[in-house]
Amino acid sequence: MIVVMKRSASQQDIDSMIQHVESLGMKPVVLTGTERTVIAAIGDERVAGVSSLESGPGVDEVHPILAPYKLASRELQPESSVIRAGSLTVGNGHVGVMAGPCSVENEEQIVATAKAVKAAGASALRGGAFKPRTSPYSFQGLKEEGLKLLATARAETGLAVVTEVVATEDVDIVAEYADVLQIGARNMQNYRLLEAVGKTSRPVLLKRGPSATVDEWLLAAEYILDGGNPDVMLCERGIRTFEAHTRFTLPLASAPYVQQRTHLPVVMDPSHGTGHTALVPAMARASIAAGADGIIVEVHPSPDHAMSDGYQSLNFQQFEDMMTECRRIAAAMDRKLGSDA
Amino acid sequence: MIVVMKRSASQQDIDSMIQHVESLGMKPVVLTGTERTVIAAIGDERVAGVSSLESGPGVDEVHPILAPYKLASRELQPESSVIRAGSLTVGNGHVGVMAGPCSVENEEQIVATAKAVKAAGASALRGGAFKPRTSPYSFQGLKEEGLKLLATARAETGLAVVTEVVATEDVDIVAEYADVLQIGARNMQNYRLLEAVGKTSRPVLLKRGPSATVDEWLLAAEYILDGGNPDVMLCERGIRTFEAHTRFTLPLASAPYVQQRTHLPVVMDPSHGTGHTALVPAMARASIAAGADGIIVEVHPSPDHAMSDGYQSLNFQQFEDMMTECRRIAAAMDRKLGSDA
Amino acid sequence: MIVVMKRSASQQDIDSMIQHVESLGMKPVVLTGTERTVIAAIGDERVAGVSSLESGPGVDEVHPILAPYKLASRELQPESSVIRAGSLTVGNGHVGVMAGPCSVENEEQIVATAKAVKAAGASALRGGAFKPRTSPYSFQGLKEEGLKLLATARAETGLAVVTEVVATEDVDIVAEYADVLQIGARNMQNYRLLEAVGKTSRPVLLKRGPSATVDEWLLAAEYILDGGNPDVMLCERGIRTFEAHTRFTLPLASAPYVQQRTHLPVVMDPSHGTGHTALVPAMARASIAAGADGIIVEVHPSPDHAMSDGYQSLNFQQFEDMMTECRRIAAAMDRKLGSDA
Amino acid sequence: MIVVMKRSASQQDIDSMIQHVESLGMKPVVLTGTERTVIAAIGDERVAGVSSLESGPGVDEVHPILAPYKLASRELQPESSVIRAGSLTVGNGHVGVMAGPCSVENEEQIVATAKAVKAAGASALRGGAFKPRTSPYSFQGLKEEGLKLLATARAETGLAVVTEVVATEDVDIVAEYADVLQIGARNMQNYRLLEAVGKTSRPVLLKRGPSATVDEWLLAAEYILDGGNPDVMLCERGIRTFEAHTRFTLPLASAPYVQQRTHLPVVMDPSHGTGHTALVPAMARASIAAGADGIIVEVHPSPDHAMSDGYQSLNFQQFEDMMTECRRIAAAMDRKLGSDA
């Protein structure tokens, strides 16, 4: 922790800060510059109360030195984690491909989609049964019925099922049907829910909130890891910026950046990250070229009749074409795409 | 709903869109311009599936015309809502003042703070018992014990209690102790929680998520109103932008803008909205001058020893000084501040 | 300068950094923590090449300690600067009020506006003669003819004239007619232009670029100060964020924040900062309550027929009403508004 | 142009808007919905004054239909433009590669870099002679001496030279030495400069401003095209967002999006777009996979001793490795990289 004092700070302010640092169990080192005094606090800065140092008299700024997360840190675990769930492998040279509709609508829709995405090389089926929707007047998902239809689709195709859980009270039933539990962007900081999925044995796909910093995202993962579940995939789905021609801005550099900081795999979501069907294939290719460990893509038999997210869904042919392109990019990266052996 | 077709759209694309609009129960009007064809869809565009029009062949863009919320809309209820909860009045010429610590820490702290903020003119006591924290290693609040201490402080001062609820399973117990239920920014789109507080009879203070649009915020309010609870206050606490010298950016123009769109009162949070003690009084004054219906401010007996948010808390003297300044601004606005009669 | 080494940094990396710091004329102090080594570099970090320390082997992050600007810093000049230009005073308890149309359109328009804003209490007339326009097909201003009309309006009313200069080759002629030279947001980092106005004797109103950090803004002011012109006013006119219901987001906290850092006065522009007539008065009031030293507001005889910026302009009655409200807020702040004595 | 009236708009307001639309030479079509009246204005909405419709009585919102740019539009010119300048080809299956130092520092540095990047497959040399710098105390470039050194490097290697011009008065001399004129992000809306380069016969690389919308960027290109210069390359170098771990956020989706809207080629700048050496190769690969027509990359013999931008520059070995990876991605996209035939 580096505490920068104001130029106007008195010796009393400096002495007070020295004592405060010591009272937190850290060792203060005073650096007297020509214009400012800086107090370096050596020790574990992750203790409660450290952030309040900024309120001390004469303090200008406080800079933390250590990352606030531990279990997620690559410093703790240098080797990259690999996540496996049925047909899905993410990491270790495998680019996982999770594809399917935003919402499960009916058996015909989900089974047809599962077959189509499997044929094109996907390694998991995504589909929402419990849907968090911005408007209370929008379709809220088929709930348990949707989970059963996903299980049917898995039985028909062998594809692992990735589906969202939105509330602690649903964790058990979703974990019963699903292979991977998805935490949506809106719930990235729903800590009770993170604690609940941390107690299950299912891998978790943790989406980044649209205004979350990378530290906040990794701390959300830390809640799950700290709960005892080591199988967390991070999913970047775009941040909110002034750029209005896409629904969100997909900051692809977060793949290589986050991979430096954590051993957890990073999955990209070009569907939510762009919000437009026409932009999805380019961003899927780019994700793989940037080194992402997986992609998750919305696919629907007939996007312009979808009950949700049609504007960003691919139809079967578009998905197949995208996979053909992505396979070439994956090969150029010495990676295997989806179900490729 | 306005559907703008691409310049390259064929007559078949246009005919297809006309049929699609009709199938959704809306009346299409075709506007043929020199460069583009536009199809206006007249009728209630809040039906499921409308957004998927964008996926239709030949479509360039879709612009909605109607606001997506109804119950929150000022068009439905032209007169401004007033919220009352014990000592607290928000709206109708009263600028509500909710003040207190980020976290309830112990009886001495919360009672002393309640007395101090009451003496300075606050009309409600804020304080967190259930704390959502970014890091799993941070202090998570005293939970039910904290609620009891808040009730003690209310008994001593008569101040209404505002406190956060973070999970559906806690709604009953929090509603038992609190006068106002706060939904935090991280939970603004935790729809189960919104539904749960929508079923209580306690007024709700709904914080805006740091990346939520105004429409998303009002739709979150709509969940609560639609659940049967008419007493919702909107609380602006800052959005995430590139501006790094403040913790968040407090977009004060949201007060007058939102008041045009909705009858619900708007409360400003200059503490979270700036993240720095030194900036809080200026933004509290500015909030009142902008026409906000209330402010919520963090106050602690000793901010540099607070267990959370010390860097943005005022001490008692600072709060008293701020209230003196704010009282003059409120008078200049023909409003009453806090407990002023 | 604080250099945080990676956990994986070798002793050789650390030694290399120590030498590098010394070669830049700074004194290195090595702080060995439990997890990281930190090297504090004591001395003037504003030397060329310092930022490249980040490229050194084993370096994780570099944090500067000193503000990058000097002449603009309040540490150098503790007392606040006051700017005076004819009828205009900004600072020292005076809230300057600059009002007028976006563009000078003709004599009748500019003279009528000057009279109206003077009658309502403005202390300067704003109006654009050289207009930077986003589209090459938009009205580009009357140029020198516009300057002459501004001079006519000054002759009729006694109001000081504030007008924009967009190119070095125009500085002389604009300085001949204007009392204050405005640098627009698009030109905040047009350094040749900053150098050119730094050589004039006219006060400068320097608008913040919509994506400029405060440091970048103050460094732009530093170019003007360094050129020999001490009379710089900073003008906040809004930053670009995801908030789409306003044209820009006016981050009012920049007034008190910037006033802590610099002795230069801060002026707020609620017209560009909101982009909507209906929101301007509330944000003008809020600016004054936040402690801004001035406001600049667009006023037009008939906004819906304006050649530019009509959507954010006030008509005469709206401006007069706004001034009445602002006068009360200024009084509550113990300040004088515009031409009030 | 679609004008949405407020629910409270009177028949008089509607009649007034109809007349106003007609006075602008457009044909009004009135659409009466259940809740709102919408007036569609058919005709060329790019006329002066249209934006001021928003100020009309009873108006809620105005949505433009047509893109504000013409010459840059793919609707006007469906086939993609190809830019050629000496050794550099951008477009038509060629991914142009411009590489070199941020600043030209001396002959040895620039010639060595030119040789190294040529050997690795670059098709042009970049290097700054006139440097716009955030601080007046930073190195401002070698100016004409730098241009001469670039010409020397071109003579030695045959590489086309790309260099920035920052002021109208320098356009002639820069155009004398350079093969491509770069307009930097800070000058994207320096319209005089755009007009000046629009009158030269050199291709222009137009960087996007960090807060510019795509429309603003294409309108800046329109200034150059409208001036008579058809050879404009658009360069995306990142936007300013809350994401703080990268210097800017590189919104890669702008490549496919912009290519839909314009015939001009799009070049990506992963150096400024990330601000960190370690992230540049991943984003260069991703740019090519997303379909960009070129990349521009900072390369320096010894980044940690560079006079500017060292933290985001590659050394020779890093650039060679990056090119090897990029060549594989380009092949997977059926494109040729840099100087590959």
Side-chain angles (χ1 to χ4, degrees):
Chain A
M1 182 81 55
I2 302 293
V3 181
V4 182
M5 304 299 288
K6 288 180 184 161
R7 195 169 184 170
S8 59
S10 66
Q11 188 57 44
Q12 192 181 340
D13 293 341
I14 293 168
D15 292 344
S16 162
M17 179 51 59
I18 290 171
Q19 284 179 23
H20 202 149
V21 165
E22 287 172 340
S23 75
L24 292 165
M26 292 188 286
K27 182 185 158 210
V29 176
V30 180
L31 304 166
T32 307
T34 47
E35 303 187 25
R36 302 289 192 108
T37 295
V38 169
I39 299 167
I42 299 179
D44 189 349
E45 63 195 42
R46 298 187 198 92
V47 293
V50 161
S51 70
S52 296
L53 288 178
E54 196 183 315
S55 295
V59 175
D60 191 18
E61 290 182 334
V62 173
H63 297 285
I65 298 298
L66 302 179
Y69 44 85
K70 296 177 187 175
L71 302 175
S73 169
R74 192 175 279 279
E75 297 196 341
L76 191 92
Q77 180 188 317
E79 68 278 12
S80 299
S81 290
V82 181
I83 308 294
R84 292 187 181 83
S87 59
L88 176 69
T89 301
V90 176
N92 193 30
H94 291 267
V95 177
V97 178
M98 298 163 245
C102 175
S103 300
V104 179
E105 297 173 8
N106 56 59
E107 181 170 338
E108 185 184 350
Q109 174 238 24
I110 193 65
V111 171
T113 305
K115 288 180 178 174
V117 301
K118 187 183 184 189
S123 46
L125 174 68
R126 64 148 288 159
F130 292 90
K131 296 299 305 172
R133 298 305 299 278
T134 303
S135 168
Y137 311 124
S138 296
F139 174 61
Q140 308 273 327
L142 296 180
K143 305 194 170 69
E144 188 173 354
E145 175 61 20
L147 295 175
K148 288 180 181 167
L149 295 178
L150 284 165
T152 302
R154 174 175 50 206
E156 296 258 354
T157 59
L159 288 179
V161 163
V162 181
T163 197
E164 182 167 354
V165 56
V166 300
T168 51
E169 58 266 31
D170 302 337
V171 168
D172 285 348
I173 193 164
V174 177
E176 187 184 326
Y177 288 98
D179 299 286
V180 173
L181 303 177
Q182 178 182 314
I183 300 291
R186 294 173 179 87
N187 280 315
M188 192 202 86
Q189 293 188 311
N190 181 338
Y191 299 116
R192 291 282 176 86
L193 184 58
L194 299 179
E195 287 166 357
V197 300
K199 287 178 194 135
T200 71
S201 58
R202 296 290 182 203
V204 177
L205 183 78
L206 176 66
K207 290 203 162 190
R208 179 183 185 179
S211 63
T213 64
V214 167
D215 275 2
E216 289 168 348
W217 188 19
L218 290 176
L219 281 167
E222 192 86 0
Y223 267 91
I224 303 171
L225 299 170
D226 192 46
N229 187 339
D231 292 327
V232 177
M233 293 174 270
L234 299 164
C235 179
E236 170 69 78
R237 44 79 80 197
I239 59 173
R240 209 141 222 176
T241 74
F242 74 85
E243 187 90 306
H245 63 82
T246 42
R247 192 176 169 201
F248 293 95
T249 296
L250 195 62
L252 272 189
S254 60
Y257 176 76
V258 169
Q259 287 166 340
Q260 287 173 4
R261 301 274 151 183
T262 182
H263 54 87
L264 302 172
V266 180
V267 171
M268 286 279 158
D269 177 347
S271 303
H272 289 84
T274 63
H276 295 286
T277 303
L279 302 176
V280 171
M283 294 309 277
R285 297 190 311 258
S287 296
I288 297 168
D293 300 295
I295 55 175
I296 182 165
V297 178
E298 291 191 341
V299 178
H300 191 281
S302 178
D304 53 333
H305 292 85
M307 297 183 76
S308 54
D309 280 5
Y311 47 86
Q312 68 191 27
S313 298
L314 304 183
N315 65 28
F316 296 166
Q317 185 62 50
Q318 289 165 331
F319 180 69
E320 188 184 327
D321 293 348
M322 185 200 87
M323 287 294 282
T324 301
E325 298 165 7
C326 286
R327 194 167 284 115
R328 294 182 67 185
I329 301 291
M333 294 287 293
D334 294 325
R335 303 274 179 94
K336 286 171 184 158
L337 184 72
S339 61
D340 293 354
Chain B
M1 182 79 55
I2 302 293
V3 181
V4 181
M5 303 299 288
K6 287 179 185 163
R7 194 169 184 171
S8 59
S10 66
Q11 188 57 45
Q12 191 181 340
D13 294 339
I14 293 167
D15 292 344
S16 162
M17 179 52 59
I18 291 169
Q19 285 179 22
H20 202 150
V21 166
E22 287 173 338
S23 76
L24 292 164
M26 292 188 287
K27 182 186 159 208
V29 175
V30 180
L31 304 164
T32 307
T34 47
E35 302 187 26
R36 302 289 192 107
T37 295
V38 169
I39 300 167
I42 297 178
D44 189 350
E45 62 196 42
R46 297 188 199 91
V47 294
V50 160
S51 70
S52 295
L53 288 177
E54 196 184 315
S55 296
V59 174
D60 192 17
E61 290 181 336
V62 173
H63 298 285
I65 297 299
L66 301 179
Y69 44 86
K70 297 178 187 173
L71 303 174
S73 169
R74 195 176 276 280
E75 298 195 341
L76 191 91
Q77 179 189 318
E79 67 278 10
S80 297
S81 290
V82 181
I83 308 295
R84 292 186 181 84
S87 59
L88 177 69
T89 301
V90 177
N92 193 31
H94 291 266
V95 177
V97 178
M98 297 162 246
C102 175
S103 299
V104 179
E105 297 174 7
N106 56 59
E107 182 170 337
E108 185 185 350
Q109 173 239 20
I110 193 66
V111 171
T113 305
K115 289 179 176 173
V117 301
K118 186 182 184 188
S123 46
L125 174 68
R126 63 149 289 158
F130 292 90
K131 296 299 306 172
R133 297 304 299 279
T134 303
S135 167
Y137 310 125
S138 297
F139 173 61
Q140 308 272 326
L142 295 181
K143 305 193 171 68
E144 188 173 354
E145 175 62 18
L147 296 176
K148 288 178 181 169
L149 295 177
L150 285 165
T152 301
R154 174 174 51 206
E156 296 256 354
T157 59
L159 288 179
V161 163
V162 180
T163 196
E164 182 167 354
V165 55
V166 300
T168 52
E169 58 267 30
D170 302 337
V171 169
D172 285 348
I173 192 164
V174 177
E176 189 185 324
Y177 288 98
D179 299 287
V180 173
L181 304 177
Q182 177 181 316
I183 300 291
R186 295 174 178 87
N187 279 316
M188 192 202 87
Q189 293 188 311
N190 182 338
Y191 300 117
R192 291 282 175 87
L193 184 58
L194 299 178
E195 287 166 357
V197 300
K199 285 177 196 137
T200 71
S201 56
R202 297 287 182 205
V204 176
L205 182 78
L206 176 65
K207 290 204 161 188
R208 179 183 185 179
S211 62
T213 63
V214 167
D215 275 2
E216 289 168 349
W217 188 18
L218 290 175
L219 282 167
E222 192 86 1
Y223 267 91
I224 302 170
L225 299 171
D226 192 45
N229 187 339
D231 292 327
V232 178
M233 292 174 270
L234 299 165
C235 179
E236 170 69 77
R237 43 80 78 200
I239 59 173
R240 210 140 222 177
T241 74
F242 74 85
E243 188 91 306
H245 64 83
T246 42
R247 193 175 169 201
F248 293 95
T249 296
L250 194 62
L252 273 188
S254 60
Y257 176 75
V258 168
Q259 287 167 339
Q260 288 174 3
R261 301 276 151 182
T262 182
H263 53 87
L264 302 173
V266 179
V267 172
M268 286 280 157
D269 178 346
S271 303
H272 288 85
T274 63
H276 296 286
T277 302
L279 302 176
V280 171
M283 295 309 277
R285 297 190 310 259
S287 297
I288 297 169
D293 300 295
I295 54 174
I296 182 165
V297 178
E298 290 191 341
V299 178
H300 191 280
S302 178
D304 53 333
H305 292 87
M307 297 183 75
S308 54
D309 280 6
Y311 47 86
Q312 67 189 28
S313 298
L314 304 183
N315 64 29
F316 295 166
Q317 184 61 51
Q318 290 165 332
F319 180 69
E320 188 184 326
D321 293 346
M322 185 200 88
M323 287 294 282
T324 301
E325 297 164 6
C326 286
R327 195 167 284 116
R328 295 182 68 185
I329 301 291
M333 294 287 293
D334 293 326
R335 303 274 179 95
K336 285 173 184 154
L337 184 73
S339 60
D340 294 353
Chain C
M1 181 81 55
I2 301 293
V3 181
V4 182
M5 304 298 290
K6 289 180 183 162
R7 195 169 184 169
S8 59
S10 66
Q11 187 57 45
Q12 191 181 342
D13 293 340
I14 293 168
D15 291 344
S16 162
M17 179 51 59
I18 290 170
Q19 285 179 22
H20 202 151
V21 166
E22 287 172 339
S23 74
L24 292 165
M26 292 188 286
K27 183 186 158 208
V29 176
V30 180
L31 304 165
T32 307
T34 46
E35 302 187 26
R36 300 290 191 107
T37 295
V38 169
I39 299 167
I42 298 179
D44 189 349
E45 64 196 41
R46 297 186 198 94
V47 294
V50 160
S51 70
S52 296
L53 289 177
E54 196 183 315
S55 297
V59 175
D60 192 16
E61 290 182 336
V62 173
H63 298 285
I65 298 298
L66 301 179
Y69 44 85
K70 296 177 188 175
L71 301 174
S73 169
R74 193 177 277 280
E75 298 196 339
L76 190 90
Q77 179 188 317
E79 68 278 12
S80 298
S81 291
V82 182
I83 308 294
R84 291 185 182 86
S87 59
L88 176 69
T89 301
V90 176
N92 192 31
H94 291 267
V95 177
V97 178
M98 298 161 247
C102 175
S103 300
V104 180
E105 296 173 8
N106 56 58
E107 183 171 335
E108 185 185 350
Q109 173 238 22
I110 193 66
V111 172
T113 305
K115 289 180 177 173
V117 301
K118 186 184 183 187
S123 46
L125 174 67
R126 63 147 290 158
F130 292 90
K131 297 299 307 170
R133 298 304 300 280
T134 303
S135 167
Y137 309 125
S138 298
F139 173 61
Q140 308 273 327
L142 295 181
K143 305 196 171 68
E144 188 174 352
E145 174 62 19
L147 295 175
K148 289 179 181 168
L149 295 177
L150 285 165
T152 301
R154 175 174 50 203
E156 298 255 354
T157 59
L159 288 178
V161 163
V162 181
T163 197
E164 182 167 355
V165 55
V166 301
T168 51
E169 58 267 29
D170 302 337
V171 169
D172 284 347
I173 193 163
V174 177
E176 188 185 325
Y177 289 98
D179 299 287
V180 173
L181 304 178
Q182 177 181 315
I183 300 292
R186 294 174 178 87
N187 280 315
M188 192 201 85
Q189 294 188 311
N190 182 339
Y191 300 117
R192 291 283 176 88
L193 184 57
L194 299 178
E195 287 165 356
V197 300
K199 286 176 195 136
T200 71
S201 58
R202 297 289 183 203
V204 176
L205 183 79
L206 176 65
K207 291 203 160 187
R208 179 183 186 179
S211 63
T213 64
V214 167
D215 274 3
E216 290 168 348
W217 189 19
L218 290 176
L219 282 167
E222 192 85 0
Y223 267 91
I224 302 171
L225 299 171
D226 192 45
N229 187 340
D231 292 327
V232 177
M233 293 174 271
L234 299 165
C235 179
E236 170 69 79
R237 44 78 80 197
I239 58 173
R240 209 141 222 175
T241 75
F242 73 85
E243 188 90 307
H245 64 83
T246 42
R247 192 174 168 203
F248 292 95
T249 296
L250 194 62
L252 273 189
S254 60
Y257 176 76
V258 169
Q259 287 167 340
Q260 287 174 3
R261 302 275 150 183
T262 183
H263 53 88
L264 302 173
V266 180
V267 172
M268 286 280 158
D269 178 347
S271 303
H272 288 85
T274 62
H276 295 286
T277 302
L279 302 176
V280 172
M283 294 309 276
R285 296 190 311 258
S287 297
I288 297 168
D293 300 295
I295 55 175
I296 183 165
V297 178
E298 291 192 340
V299 178
H300 191 281
S302 178
D304 53 333
H305 292 86
M307 296 184 75
S308 53
D309 281 6
Y311 48 86
Q312 67 191 27
S313 298
L314 305 183
N315 64 29
F316 296 165
Q317 184 62 51
Q318 289 165 333
F319 180 68
E320 188 184 326
D321 294 347
M322 185 199 89
M323 286 294 283
T324 301
E325 298 165 6
C326 286
R327 195 166 284 115
R328 294 183 68 185
I329 301 291
M333 294 288 292
D334 294 325
R335 303 274 179 95
K336 286 171 183 155
L337 184 72
S339 61
D340 294 355
Chain D
M1 182 78 55
I2 302 293
V3 182
V4 181
M5 303 299 288
K6 289 180 183 162
R7 195 169 185 171
S8 59
S10 65
Q11 187 57 45
Q12 191 181 341
D13 294 339
I14 293 167
D15 292 344
S16 162
M17 179 51 61
I18 291 170
Q19 284 179 23
H20 201 149
V21 165
E22 286 172 341
S23 75
L24 292 165
M26 292 189 286
K27 182 187 160 209
V29 176
V30 180
L31 304 165
T32 307
T34 47
E35 302 187 26
R36 301 288 192 108
T37 295
V38 169
I39 299 167
I42 299 178
D44 189 349
E45 64 196 40
R46 297 186 199 93
V47 294
V50 160
S51 69
S52 296
L53 288 177
E54 196 184 314
S55 297
V59 174
D60 192 17
E61 290 182 336
V62 172
H63 298 285
I65 298 299
L66 301 179
Y69 44 85
K70 297 177 187 175
L71 301 174
S73 168
R74 194 176 277 280
E75 297 195 342
L76 190 92
Q77 179 189 317
E79 68 278 10
S80 298
S81 290
V82 181
I83 308 294
R84 291 186 182 84
S87 58
L88 176 69
T89 301
V90 176
N92 193 32
H94 291 268
V95 178
V97 178
M98 296 162 249
C102 175
S103 299
V104 179
E105 297 173 8
N106 55 59
E107 182 170 336
E108 186 185 350
Q109 174 237 23
I110 193 66
V111 171
T113 305
K115 288 180 178 173
V117 302
K118 187 183 182 187
S123 47
L125 174 68
R126 63 148 289 157
F130 292 90
K131 295 299 306 172
R133 298 304 300 279
T134 303
S135 167
Y137 309 125
S138 296
F139 174 62
Q140 308 272 328
L142 296 180
K143 305 195 171 68
E144 188 172 353
E145 176 62 20
L147 295 176
K148 288 179 180 166
L149 296 178
L150 285 165
T152 301
R154 174 176 51 205
E156 297 257 354
T157 58
L159 288 179
V161 163
V162 181
T163 197
E164 183 167 355
V165 56
V166 301
T168 51
E169 58 267 31
D170 302 337
V171 169
D172 285 348
I173 192 163
V174 177
E176 189 185 324
Y177 288 98
D179 299 287
V180 173
L181 304 177
Q182 178 182 316
I183 300 291
R186 295 174 179 87
N187 280 315
M188 192 201 87
Q189 294 188 311
N190 182 339
Y191 300 117
R192 291 280 177 86
L193 185 57
L194 299 178
E195 287 166 357
V197 300
K199 285 177 195 137
T200 72
S201 58
R202 296 288 182 204
V204 177
L205 183 77
L206 176 66
K207 290 203 161 188
R208 179 184 186 180
S211 63
T213 64
V214 167
D215 275 3
E216 289 168 348
W217 187 20
L218 290 175
L219 281 167
E222 192 86 0
Y223 267 90
I224 303 170
L225 299 170
D226 192 45
N229 187 340
D231 291 327
V232 178
M233 294 174 268
L234 300 165
C235 179
E236 170 69 78
R237 43 80 79 200
I239 58 173
R240 209 139 222 178
T241 74
F242 73 85
E243 188 90 308
H245 64 83
T246 43
R247 193 175 168 201
F248 292 95
T249 296
L250 194 62
L252 273 188
S254 59
Y257 176 75
V258 169
Q259 288 166 340
Q260 287 174 4
R261 301 276 151 181
T262 182
H263 53 88
L264 302 173
V266 180
V267 172
M268 287 280 158
D269 178 346
S271 303
H272 288 85
T274 62
H276 295 286
T277 303
L279 303 176
V280 171
M283 295 309 277
R285 297 190 311 258
S287 296
I288 298 169
D293 300 295
I295 54 175
I296 181 164
V297 178
E298 291 191 340
V299 178
H300 191 281
S302 177
D304 53 334
H305 292 86
M307 297 184 74
S308 55
D309 281 7
Y311 47 85
Q312 68 191 27
S313 297
L314 305 183
N315 64 29
F316 295 166
Q317 185 62 52
Q318 289 166 331
F319 180 69
E320 189 184 326
D321 293 348
M322 185 199 88
M323 287 294 283
T324 302
E325 298 165 7
C326 286
R327 195 165 283 117
R328 295 182 68 184
I329 301 291
M333 293 289 292
D334 294 325
R335 302 273 178 95
K336 285 171 184 155
L337 184 73
S339 61
D340 294 354

